[in-house]
Amino acid sequence: MTRLTRDDIISSAGRRFATYGYHGTSMRDLGDDLGILGSSIYAHVGGKQELLIAVVDRGAAFFAESAQLAKRDGSGALDTLQRLIAGHIDVVLDHRSEARTYLAEVPFLDDADRRSILDARDAYEDVFVGVIEEGIDGGSIGAHNDARLSAIYVLSILNAIDRWYDESGRLTREELATDMYTFVCTGLCRGPR
Amino acid sequence: MTRLTRDDIISSAGRRFATYGYHGTSMRDLGDDLGILGSSIYAHVGGKQELLIAVVDRGAAFFAESAQLAKRDGSGALDTLQRLIAGHIDVVLDHRSEARTYLAEVPFLDDADRRSILDARDAYEDVFVGVIEEGIDGGSIGAHNDARLSAIYVLSILNAIDRWYDESGRLTREELATDMYTFVCTGLCRGPR
DNA sequence: CCTACCGATCGGTAGG
DNA sequence: CCTACCGATCGGTAGG
C-alpha cells in the first residue's frame, strides 16, 4: 500500500462523476473508493470543484490531441474526417470516465471554468466544420450540406457512443468506426443523389 | 394565488431536474420555485424519487405517442422515418424539461422504475429499427445498412438537439427536420453510391 | 400549506 | 493521511 498521488485521486473522481454525476458524488464516496477518509482528500486537492475541473480538463485534452493528430495525418477532407471519427471513438472508449464527465458535467463547473471548456468544445467542433467545408470546396462533399449542422450531427453520434457501445460485444471498435463513417458519408437511402 | 396542483409541482420539478439534475435539486429548491416551503411539497407528493418518476414518465409518454402517430400516418418507410424525426424534434422542443430529464436522469431512478423506462426506450428505438428494416426490404434503404446501428445514429442526433438548438435562432424547426432527414438519407459525400 | 422539528449527511478545516 | 470536529443543508415527518 503506497501513498496515493493527485493523479490517482483525479482518476478515481472521474469514475465516480461519470457514473453518479458531480452532485451525486460526495467527498466521502471518493474516499471510500480510494480506501481513505473523505477529509483526507483535502491533503491532495483544494476541494470538490477542483476535482471536477481536473477531470474535465483531462477530457478536453484528449479530444484536442485527437483532433490535432487527425489534422496532421489526414490526407484530404474525407480521410481527415475518417480519422476524426476513429480518434473520437478511441477517446470516448479509452477514457470513458473523463470523456463522459467532460460531456455531461460541464454545467456544474464555476462560470469561468465552464466558459473556458465551452470554448475548447467550440474549437474542437470547428475542426469538424473546417474539414467539411474543405470537402465542399474540394468537391468530395456535396455543396448542399450545411457544414456547421453536419458537424453537430456527426459529433452527436460520436458523443452518444459510450452510452450504448459494449466493448465486449460482437462489434469491434474498428467496425463501428467504419460503419459510422459510411453512414455519415453515404446515408441510408438508395438511388442516385 | 390559487392552490398548486400535483401537476404544477411535477412540471416545476421537471424544469429543475433538467437544469440542475436530480441530485443537484433539493426539495427546498423546488419549494422556492413554487413559492412554498420544501416540506409543503410532501402534501402533494410522496417524495423526491416520486417526482423524478413522474417527470420521466411524462417524457416517455410524449415519445411513445409521437412514434404511434408517425407509424399511423406514415406512408412507406421513408415517409414514416421523416415523421419520426419531425415528431421527435417536436417532443424535444415542446417538452424540453421532460425530454431532457427522460434522457439524462434515468440512471438515478430506483431499479424497478429504471428498468421499465429502459424497456420503454428500447421499444421506441425498435420503432426506428423496424422502419429502417422495412425500407431495406422495400428497396428504399440500402441493404448494406445495419438497421440497429442506423437507428442508434439517428436517435443520437435527435437526442442531442435540445442541447444546441436555439428556438429564437435563424433555423426554424421545420428547416432543422428537413436538413437532418436529408443528412440521414443522403449523407455528406458526393458522387454515385 | 405552514410550524417546528428530526437524524443523517454534506463540504470543509485545525492540528497533528 | 487520520482524529475530531464545524456549521450548513439534506430528505422527510408530526401535527395542525
Side-chain angles (χ1 to χ4, degrees), chain B residues 169-191:
Chain B
R170 349 176 197 61
L171 187 74
T172 69
R173 198 186 282 213
E174 290 74 22
E175 286 166 350
L176 171 59
T178 302
D179 187 84
M180 206 207 111
Y181 174 72
T182 304
F183 174 84
V184 163
C185 184
T186 312
L188 292 177
C189 296
R190 268 189 68 195

Side-chain angles (χ1 to χ4, degrees), chain B residues 17 19-20 59 79 87 89 92 97 107 115 130 140 157-158 170 172:
Chain B
F17 292 161
T19 307
Y20 301 99
D79 182 58
I89 292 175
V92 154
S97 305
R115 260 193 287 272
S140 56
I157 298 173
L158 289 169
R170 349 176 197 61
T172 69

Side-chain angles (χ1 to χ4, degrees), chain B residues 31-188:
Chain B
D32 289 345
D33 289 346
L34 293 160
I36 61 177
L37 293 175
S39 57
S40 299
I41 294 170
Y42 292 88
H44 298 91
V45 146
K48 199 181 165 191
Q49 265 283 322
E50 195 181 311
L51 278 174
L52 179 58
I53 295 164
V55 173
V56 167
D57 276 346
R58 277 198 193 176
F62 288 130
F63 284 114
E65 193 196 345
S66 166
Q68 292 319 309
L69 281 178
K71 267 168 51 172
R72 197 195 62 189
D73 297 338
S75 54
L78 292 185
D79 182 58
T80 305
L81 180 58
Q82 205 161 0
R83 287 170 189 272
L84 283 170
I85 288 172
H88 194 109
I89 292 175
D90 282 338
V91 170
V92 154
L93 299 182
D94 286 334
H95 308 284
R96 269 185 127 115
S97 305
E98 289 86 352
R100 200 193 265 262
T101 304
Y102 172 74
L103 293 170
E105 306 300 320
V106 167
F108 306 129
L109 284 171
D110 293 334
D111 277 26
D113 294 306
R114 194 178 65 251
R115 260 193 287 272
S116 92
I117 289 293
L118 293 178
D119 286 347
R121 244 191 233 180
D122 286 345
Y124 184 72
E125 183 178 298
D126 285 344
V127 176
F128 283 69
V129 173
V131 155
I132 293 169
E133 282 172 343
E134 194 190 314
I136 292 174
D137 291 345
S140 56
I141 292 179
H144 62 88
N145 293 291
D146 181 303
R148 177 66 56 184
L149 288 178
S150 304
I152 291 174
Y153 300 152
V154 172
L155 282 166
S156 299
I157 298 173
L158 289 169
N159 288 336
I161 283 174
D162 90 302
R163 274 182 260 157
W164 61 266
Y165 181 75
D166 177 10
E167 195 87 48
S168 62
R170 349 176 197 61
L171 187 74
T172 69
R173 198 186 282 213
E174 290 74 22
E175 286 166 350
L176 171 59
T178 302
D179 187 84
M180 206 207 111
Y181 174 72
T182 304
F183 174 84
V184 163
C185 184
T186 312
L188 292 177

Side-chain angles (χ1 to χ4, degrees), chain A residues 20 108 139-142 145 149-150 152-153 156-157 160 163-164 179-180 183-191 193, chain B residues 20 108 139-142 145 149-150 152-153 156-157 160 163-164 179-180 183-191 193:
Chain A
Y20 300 99
F108 306 129
S140 57
I141 292 180
N145 292 291
L149 288 177
S150 304
I152 291 173
Y153 300 152
S156 298
I157 298 172
R163 274 182 260 155
W164 62 266
D179 188 84
M180 207 208 110
F183 174 84
V184 163
C185 184
T186 313
L188 293 177
C189 297
R190 267 187 67 192
R193 289 168 201 270
Chain B
Y20 301 99
F108 306 129
S140 56
I141 292 179
N145 293 291
L149 288 178
S150 304
I152 291 174
Y153 300 152
S156 299
I157 298 173
R163 274 182 260 157
W164 61 266
D179 187 84
M180 206 207 111
F183 174 84
V184 163
C185 184
T186 312
L188 292 177
C189 296
R190 268 189 68 195
R193 289 167 202 275

